Amino acid sequence: MFFSGDPSTRKRVDLGGRSTKERDARKLLEQTRMERNRRLLQKQQNAAALKIQKFFRGRGSVAIERSKVRREFCETYGVNCQNVDRRCFEPSSSFLRQLLFFFKAKNSGDFVILVETCRLLKSFAPINGDILSLFSGLDYSAEHNLVDFRVKKLAFTCIEAIHQNRDRLRDQLLVTIEEASTSTAILMEAVSLVLDPKLPWVCKTVSYLQKRNIFKLAREIVITAKESPRVQTMTGSILSLERVLIMVVPHVGRAPCCCPVVDPRWSFSSMILTIPLIWQLFPNLKAVFAVPNISQHYIHQMAFCIQKDTHVLPIDTSTEFPGYACLLGNTLDTANVVLLQPDCSLDMAVDIASVTTFLLERLPPVKSSDKESRQSSSEEDNMLIDDIPELVLNKTLEQQIITNAIDSRFLLQLTNVLFHQVSLGTQPYDEDKEAQAIGTACSFLYAAFNTLPLEKIMTVLAYRTELVVVLWNYMKRCHENQKWSSMPTLLAYLPGDAPGWLLPLVVFCPVYKHMLMIVDNEEFYEREKPLSLQDIRLLIIILKQALWQLLWVNPLTQPSTGKSVSNNLSKKNPVALIQNRVGVVVAELLSQLQDWNNRQQFTSSSDFQADTVNEYFISQAIAEGTRANYILMNAPFLIPFTSRVKIFTTQLATARESHDHGSQAIFARNRFRIRRDHILEDAYNQMSALSEDDLRGSIRVTFVNELGVEEAGIDGGGIFKDFMEKITRAAFDVQYGLFKETVDHMLYPNPGSGMVHDQHLQFFHFLGTLLAKAMFEGILVDIPFATFFLSKLKHKYNYLNDLPSLDPELYKHLIFLKRYKGNISELELYFVILNNEYGERTEEELLPGGKDMRVTNENVITFIHLVSNHRLNFQIRQQSSHFLRGFQQLIPKECIDMFNEHELQVLISGSADSLDIDDLRQNTNYTGGYNAGHYVIDMFWEVLKSFSTENQKKFLKFVTGCSRGPLLGFKYLEPAFCIQRAAGSASNEAVDRLPTSATCMNLLKLPPYQSKEQLETKLMYAISAEAGFDLS
């Protein structure tokens, strides 16, 4: 800086507002603090260095002393203990004291000495048969402290020696007690000798071993041993290690045992039961573990840890063998034996169910068989799938879990013990115990449903347990008392205000639904098994209220279109999973009960409908993505049929209008040129050439007569309607060979259609399109389809109770087999079925190798349902599939899913109920001189009202081409019904004519008859002759 000429020194000012003294004081304090901390750290480092030095000096001194004692030991007793006699094991001898002091497991010489010591112990013990005197001399009580200490140290030293050398001894770790020459067998046999339950020190020794984590050491020994190829060739002899564990496991702290309770992290359950497939190695240990007191202790210990959310499982041995899966498999493997004990308590069953539930929830879903996958594919089209890496279990472990979890004895015993007091009703009613039993069972089964193959579980629960009856009685009692026990404690992830019926319903509905698939009509309607019809009526009310509450009134979460059984989802959003699952299973059961009600009515159809469906709900149901639309798609029976029909017709009308607006001009419409004597062939050729978009458009028809000349007239819709009536009548005629009739004259695909037409599958595709076009245009066709065929439009399977509509004789024979009390194998039936189409008899196996598989009492139910499946599903599968493809070109699956099979028939052919003549009269037009007050018109309506229902249907078919009225009344008949005067005057020639009709225009040409009797006679003759234009 340049010199300014000013010699004075400027005063420095601290802009921080502090004086120099204050700054210096703070600096001094900070320096003092840092110096104090430095001295403290130095002091701690010096102290630590002293400890380390002291430790190493101590270790060095101990090592020196050990070496000194080892030399003295070898000089006194010999390198191979050749100078040892039985007195060396007594308290006065220094033999064991010196050995236990200098022994190092990794020292090969020490290991040899220990093995030789144990061999001598084994040889000295049988001399007097009293190992107690061998260690204590003449007076155990005087030296018991020293003796107990030496024994427990010796036992642990033997196990530790094997553990420390387990890699070197891999092939000798799992040896039998007969292999006495191996070092590991000698060491384990010595441990077994000192753990004899009769010895006074046994509890102290076991306690010491447990404190030193014997189960952890044993686990690591077994896991190392399983890597040896020798394990694969082992015989059924008891293993030395297994024998030791058998002596340790019973020490659970219950009298006469005085051992303290072991930390759950190092217990038998955590360390040994998590070893993969442990019972295959130690079958004798399995029998000991299954003893009630022992298994109850360990299983209760696991249940307690689950309740406290304590993680006690060790690190997994591999990704194929996760600890929780191994624990689940081994626990299930012994649960059968435990539950079979006559004194098995409710608490024990609750603990078993709680533990298995907890472990099942962490298990990845197990894929079911191909058959189950096919049957459930239609029910699980839209699954909630997360992009989470799939955990693949070892196949043997997976099989162990599945085999035991779905074992009929296990499920039967578990439910029997849980429901014993509830089902018998012999004990005083205990609401809390009942809720606990019901909730525990439902929690376990819900977890099992989400994880394991369903078919076998459902069959056992439905037919070998009282689950359905017990759950129904519980739900019935709760409903009548208006009080549902809260069960969130059993599923911790449920909110506290979750309905008490969630858990019972999520189990009851699928099991009862499965039962209804196999129950026959006599059992359901006449014998009223398993539930009475009165109970079923109440059940429908409970299910309907629960479903409406769940989906509309107070949903726990937003509805999802998916149906998932993924445990990954249950971890992420378990509340949504159980809510969606309850919604699905309740809706499926209600739908099935509605099918039973349609077969033979036992309750009003309105019982299935929600009471609060209003115009607002209907308006919401039309819009996609709304909750009302979700209900419409998944529980349509809650909405009145007429409301669903309005939605359906609105959707079709919107589709027609949107297509018509997209057409450029009237000339863009499709035109068919149809020869009347070749109507089916021409319609097939021309309609098959249309694209899906063209099919949605208008079609105009021109008929060609026998001479090849086009008939006069412009198709404004009437000729097309006439064409549709004629083509459907011809195509679905049984004489054509594509369809057959049941005994009730209902149509279904001909299984032998391929023998009649080479292109039969293409024809079925065409017929599906044809029927869909009629529905799309709002044209009713009088074609009665069999219910089991209509179910194919809904992607549904048919079951035994659908068989009477197809073959009542076969159904009777199968029911006879089902109830046959004798030896069915004597009937000489095999798993084959005979087909007889057009005189050609063929034999078809129901199962691979079925011609050599005899039907017995054990497999007769399977045979019955395979026969039913063959006749109702398999034989018509190709025809139904092609028909459905053609049908869905115009009518999407979502629209069909809104209706059941009986409602679909009404959509196709109109209502089968008696006609509303007053409604028809109010929606009739008049022309040609007639009006609503004309005397002939008055006579006509009086005559029509006097007709029987059958004759009224004949009249309707005469004038419209269909014997059933429009779905929503005659207001929706297109075109409107019209009566035209057939003659200008009431001359004799005019009144002698018969009434005629033009079904394409819904037109009745009625002559002006003079009397009521004459009108009735002529009209009756006309409708009975089933003719139209030709009577003019």
Side-chain angles (χ1 to χ4, degrees):
M1 187 175 182
F2 295 107
F3 178 63
S4 63
D6 184 3
S8 61
T9 304
R10 288 189 176 184
K11 185 178 181 181
R12 295 181 180 180
V13 179
D14 190 344
L15 298 179
R18 293 171 297 184
S19 67
T20 305
K21 292 181 179 180
E22 181 183 355
R23 183 172 66 249
D24 292 343
R26 287 180 177 273
K27 186 176 180 181
L28 179 62
L29 290 173
E30 182 67 20
Q31 289 176 349
T32 303
R33 185 184 64 80
M34 293 176 63
E35 183 65 24
R36 184 169 57 251
N37 290 341
R38 187 187 66 78
R39 290 196 302 271
L40 178 62
L41 179 61
Q42 184 67 38
K43 186 177 181 180
Q44 290 174 344
Q45 290 176 346
N46 292 337
L50 290 174
K51 286 184 179 180
I52 294 173
Q53 293 170 5
K54 182 178 180 181
F55 173 78
F56 274 98
R57 285 197 300 270
R59 291 290 298 269
S61 300
V62 170
I64 294 172
E65 187 64 24
R66 276 183 175 152
S67 298
K68 178 182 177 182
V69 173
R70 184 181 290 111
R71 286 195 300 272
E72 294 177 358
F73 180 90
C74 294
E75 292 173 0
T76 306
Y77 302 106
V79 177
N80 294 317
C81 300
Q82 58 267 31
N83 301 326
V84 176
D85 58 18
R86 68 182 311 275
R87 291 191 301 272
C88 293
F89 289 91
E90 294 180 355
S92 58
S93 172
S94 62
F95 173 72
L96 286 179
R97 176 179 60 79
Q98 291 181 339
L99 173 62
L100 296 175
F101 174 74
F102 72 74
F103 180 81
K104 293 287 289 183
K106 289 292 187 178
N107 188 307
S108 58
D110 291 355
F111 185 82
V112 171
I113 292 174
L114 181 64
V115 171
E116 189 62 26
T117 300
C118 292
R119 187 186 63 78
L120 291 170
L121 174 64
K122 183 181 176 182
S123 63
F124 292 150
I127 294 177
N128 57 3
D130 183 9
I131 197 170
L132 178 63
S133 61
L134 180 65
F135 281 97
S136 62
L138 299 176
D139 187 4
Y140 167 74
S141 58
E143 303 286 349
H144 70 90
N145 288 328
L146 177 60
V147 173
D148 294 348
F149 175 78
R150 287 183 176 180
V151 168
K152 69 184 182 183
K153 285 284 290 183
L154 177 63
F156 177 74
T157 300
C158 292
I159 296 173
E160 185 185 34
I162 297 174
H163 177 263
Q164 293 290 330
N165 294 278
R166 63 186 183 278
D167 293 326
R168 179 172 61 84
L169 302 172
R170 179 177 285 110
D171 294 336
Q172 302 179 28
L173 295 177
L174 297 179
V175 293
T176 63
I177 56 177
E178 287 84 7
E179 300 175 79
S181 59
T182 59
S183 57
T184 52
I186 293 171
L187 294 175
M188 286 297 179
E189 184 63 19
V191 178
S192 300
L193 284 173
V194 299
L195 291 181
D196 190 324
K198 299 176 183 178
L199 297 174
W201 57 65
V202 64
C203 283
K204 293 181 182 179
T205 305
V206 170
S207 298
Y208 180 78
L209 293 177
Q210 289 178 341
K211 288 178 183 178
R212 301 299 298 270
N213 299 335
I214 181 178
F215 294 128
K216 178 178 181 294
L217 302 181
R219 171 187 173 82
E220 293 173 357
I221 291 172
V222 172
I223 290 174
T224 303
K226 292 188 74 172
E227 299 172 3
S228 169
R230 183 180 187 277
V231 177
Q232 309 297 329
T233 59
M234 289 174 52
T235 61
S237 301
I238 186 169
L239 302 176
S240 298
L241 178 57
E242 181 183 18
R243 185 174 179 181
V244 171
L245 291 175
I246 287 174
M247 294 180 169
V248 175
V249 166
H251 290 261
V252 294
R254 298 184 181 180
C257 173
C258 59
C259 295
V261 177
V262 185
D263 187 329
R265 292 174 298 173
W266 315 112
S267 69
F268 177 80
S269 304
S270 301
M271 291 291 118
I272 303 300
L273 292 185
T274 52
I275 298 175
L277 310 169
I278 187 64
W279 304 133
Q280 292 183 7
L281 282 177
F282 299 154
N284 301 285
L285 178 62
K286 176 183 177 181
V288 174
F289 177 78
V291 173
N293 288 340
I294 300 173
S295 56
Q296 185 172 2
H297 168 78
Y298 289 112
I299 292 176
H300 180 73
Q301 188 180 56
M302 287 188 277
F304 180 79
C305 292
I306 290 170
Q307 293 172 3
K308 298 296 182 182
D309 198 23
T310 305
H311 182 76
V312 297
L313 300 184
I315 299 174
D316 298 338
T317 57
S318 71
T319 55
E320 279 191 321
F321 295 101
Y324 63 86
C326 298
L327 178 58
L328 175 62
N330 294 327
T331 302
L332 287 172
D333 220 344
T334 56
N336 261 335
V337 183
V338 174
L339 291 169
L340 279 171
Q341 301 293 335
D343 56 345
C344 184
S345 63
L346 174 64
D347 292 337
M348 182 62 182
V350 168
D351 285 342
I352 291 175
S354 299
V355 171
T356 51
T357 301
F358 175 82
L359 298 172
L360 276 172
E361 288 173 348
R362 279 144 185 80
L363 199 68
V366 177
K367 293 182 180 179
S368 58
S369 64
D370 292 340
K371 179 181 176 183
E372 287 182 66
S373 300
R374 290 196 301 268
Q375 291 186 356
S376 62
S377 60
S378 61
E379 301 173 1
E380 302 292 340
D381 288 333
N382 301 313
M383 293 186 66
L384 301 176
I385 300 176
D386 299 311
D387 294 329
I388 295 177
E390 183 178 359
L391 180 63
V392 180
L393 295 181
N394 174 271
K395 291 297 180 184
T396 308
L397 174 60
E398 184 179 281
Q399 195 60 36
Q400 180 196 32
I401 294 172
I402 296 174
T403 303
N404 289 289
I406 65 178
D407 181 64
S408 59
R409 293 174 301 169
F410 168 68
L411 293 173
L412 179 63
Q413 290 301 321
L414 180 63
T415 52
N416 281 351
V417 175
L418 287 174
F419 297 153
H420 179 69
Q421 294 182 355
V422 179
S423 58
L424 292 182
T426 55
Q427 303 291 334
Y429 175 65
D430 188 328
E431 182 178 344
D432 293 336
K433 273 195 173 183
E434 182 186 42
Q436 183 188 31
I438 296 291
T440 302
C442 292
S443 298
F444 166 75
L445 293 174
Y446 172 60
F449 293 167
N450 286 348
T451 308
L452 304 174
L454 282 178
E455 185 179 7
K456 290 184 178 179
I457 297 179
M458 291 297 177
T459 302
V460 173
L461 294 175
Y463 303 106
R464 300 201 59 188
T465 70
E466 295 295 322
L467 180 70
V468 167
V469 175
V470 172
L471 284 182
W472 166 243
N473 289 333
Y474 172 76
M475 294 190 298
K476 181 179 178 182
R477 188 182 303 115
C478 291
H479 177 75
E480 291 172 347
N481 296 335
Q482 294 297 305
K483 181 183 178 183
W484 290 84
S485 299
S486 178
M487 296 184 182
T489 54
L490 297 163
L491 286 181
Y493 48 74
L494 284 181
D497 58 349
W501 39 259
L502 273 178
L503 264 180
L505 284 183
V506 81
V507 173
F508 173 85
C509 290
V511 177
Y512 188 44
K513 174 176 175 281
H514 184 82
M515 182 178 289
L516 290 179
M517 292 177 183
I518 304 179
V519 166
D520 59 71
N521 294 333
E522 182 182 343
E523 287 175 326
F524 186 89
Y525 295 112
E526 299 175 18
R527 299 166 64 185
E528 299 190 9
K529 290 185 176 181
L531 302 181
S532 68
L533 295 180
Q534 182 178 353
D535 282 342
I536 293 176
R537 285 189 282 269
L538 178 59
L539 172 63
I540 291 170
I541 294 173
I542 294 175
L543 295 178
K544 178 183 69 175
Q545 291 176 351
L547 189 60
W548 187 251
Q549 180 81 12
L550 197 62
L551 299 182
W552 181 254
V553 178
N554 188 27
L556 295 176
T557 62
Q558 288 297 319
S560 169
T561 56
K563 305 171 186 177
S564 173
V565 293
S566 171
N567 272 17
N568 295 329
L569 177 64
S570 68
K571 295 175 185 175
K572 287 191 169 184
N573 195 353
V575 177
L577 178 72
I578 191 170
Q579 178 193 356
N580 286 338
R581 177 51 56 192
V582 172
V584 169
V585 297
V586 170
E588 288 177 347
L589 179 56
L590 276 172
S591 178
Q592 194 169 20
L593 290 173
Q594 189 182 42
D595 290 341
W596 281 95
N597 194 50
N598 289 332
R599 291 190 195 101
Q600 182 176 322
Q601 189 168 13
F602 57 84
T603 189
S604 171
S605 58
S606 62
D607 287 347
F608 292 91
Q609 300 168 7
D611 301 326
T612 53
V613 174
N614 49 30
E615 290 301 322
Y616 169 76
F617 181 91
I618 300 301
S619 65
Q620 290 289 305
I622 299 175
E624 292 186 5
T626 62
R627 192 182 304 155
N629 181 259
Y630 175 81
I631 295 174
L632 176 65
M633 292 294 102
N634 293 274
F637 45 79
L638 292 174
I639 305 170
F641 175 60
T642 53
S643 300
R644 282 180 279 135
V645 172
K646 288 180 181 177
I647 295 172
F648 177 72
T649 53
T650 301
Q651 291 173 336
L652 294 186
T654 303
R656 290 195 300 269
E657 290 173 7
S658 62
H659 188 278
D660 290 341
H661 290 328
S663 301
Q664 298 298 319
I666 191 171
F667 303 104
R669 293 173 178 170
N670 302 294
R671 295 182 176 275
F672 285 1
R673 195 169 181 271
I674 304 295
R675 296 171 294 173
R676 285 192 178 273
D677 53 347
H678 294 82
I679 187 171
L680 186 56
E681 292 81 355
D682 288 352
Y684 170 73
N685 292 328
Q686 296 180 56
M687 188 172 283
S688 299
L690 298 181
S691 66
E692 184 174 322
D693 187 62
D694 290 335
L695 287 171
R696 295 179 180 275
S698 301
I699 297 176
R700 295 295 174 249
V701 176
T702 300
F703 281 112
V704 178
N705 62 21
E706 296 85 352
L707 301 176
V709 179
E710 291 187 0
E711 297 180 359
I714 298 176
D715 185 5
I719 297 179
F720 175 72
K721 181 173 182 289
D722 184 49
F723 159 74
M724 291 298 293
E725 291 171 1
K726 287 182 170 58
I727 185 66
T728 51
R729 192 179 302 124
F732 290 98
D733 192 327
V734 294
Q735 298 299 323
Y736 197 69
L738 291 177
F739 278 80
K740 296 180 75 173
E741 278 187 339
T742 67
V743 292
D744 298 328
H745 305 291
M746 300 294 178
L747 296 177
Y748 69 97
N750 179 8
S753 58
M755 303 173 68
V756 181
H757 299 280
D758 293 336
Q759 295 184 321
H760 67 119
L761 296 180
Q762 289 83 347
F763 269 102
F764 275 106
H765 186 281
F766 160 68
L767 293 182
T769 305
L770 189 68
L771 180 64
K773 182 62 176 176
M775 295 179 67
F776 189 80
E777 298 294 341
I779 299 173
L780 298 177
V781 290
D782 200 3
I783 304 175
F785 289 109
T787 304
F788 66 86
F789 171 61
L790 288 174
S791 68
K792 296 304 174 185
L793 298 183
K794 293 175 62 63
H795 299 267
K796 286 173 60 177
Y797 264 67
N798 297 300
Y799 297 95
L800 175 64
N801 41 55
D802 298 300
L803 189 59
S805 62
L806 172 63
D807 193 336
E809 283 301 314
L810 176 61
Y811 175 78
K812 290 179 182 177
H813 294 322
L814 293 178
I815 295 302
F816 167 79
L817 281 180
K818 183 179 177 181
R819 297 178 182 155
Y820 188 68
K821 301 299 182 183
N823 187 357
I824 294 180
S825 60
E826 296 177 355
L827 302 179
E828 293 289 334
L829 296 173
Y830 293 87
F831 277 77
V832 294
I833 191 168
L834 291 176
N835 299 319
N836 189 356
E837 299 293 340
Y838 299 103
E840 183 177 328
R841 294 170 61 88
T842 58
E843 186 179 88
E844 197 164 353
E845 291 184 334
L846 297 173
L847 288 174
K851 62 182 180 181
D852 300 319
M853 189 182 301
R854 182 173 292 190
V855 180
T856 65
N857 294 73
E858 289 73 27
N859 60 23
V860 65
I861 296 297
T862 303
F863 173 77
I864 289 171
H865 292 285
L866 286 175
V867 172
S868 303
N869 175 67
H870 182 84
R871 293 299 308 276
L872 293 167
N873 300 304
F874 184 79
Q875 278 192 319
I876 61 173
R877 71 193 186 285
Q878 289 184 320
Q879 294 89 333
S880 300
S881 176
H882 282 76
F883 188 94
L884 180 60
R885 290 177 195 170
F887 185 82
Q888 288 187 340
Q889 283 187 299
L890 289 174
I891 308 295
K893 180 179 182 295
E894 294 74 22
C895 292
I896 295 303
D897 285 344
M898 291 192 294
F899 306 96
N900 62 39
E901 292 83 348
H902 289 75
E903 292 168 343
L904 278 178
Q905 185 64 63
V906 177
L907 283 177
I908 294 168
S909 303
S911 175
D913 298 334
S914 58
L915 300 180
D916 188 345
I917 302 301
D918 293 332
D919 180 43
L920 178 61
R921 184 171 186 175
Q922 290 173 5
N923 294 283
T924 298
N925 297 328
Y926 304 96
T927 185
Y930 283 151
N931 56 61
H934 197 282
Y935 78 95
V936 175
I937 298 301
D938 288 336
M939 286 193 301
F940 167 77
W941 291 116
E942 290 177 11
V943 168
L944 189 59
K945 267 196 169 183
S946 68
F947 279 0
S948 65
T949 301
E950 188 62 32
N951 287 331
Q952 287 177 350
K953 289 182 179 180
K954 285 183 179 180
F955 166 78
L956 191 61
K957 186 174 180 64
F958 176 71
V959 295
T960 67
C962 183
S963 62
R964 302 183 181 189
L967 303 178
L968 303 177
F970 288 100
K971 178 182 179 181
Y972 293 88
L973 184 65
E974 289 288 343
F977 177 55
C978 182
I979 301 178
Q980 177 183 332
R981 184 165 179 159
S985 62
S987 61
N988 290 335
E989 182 181 350
V991 298
D992 283 341
R993 298 174 61 183
L994 291 172
T996 57
S997 66
T999 56
C1000 59
M1001 295 180 290
N1002 299 329
L1003 176 66
L1004 173 66
K1005 299 177 182 179
L1006 183 68
Y1009 297 114
Q1010 298 297 314
S1011 68
K1012 186 177 176 181
E1013 291 76 14
Q1014 186 184 29
L1015 189 152
E1016 181 178 0
T1017 302
K1018 295 290 186 179
L1019 185 60
M1020 182 64 74
Y1021 184 87
I1023 65 176
S1024 299
E1026 296 184 351
F1029 290 112
D1030 56 331
L1031 292 179
S1032 299

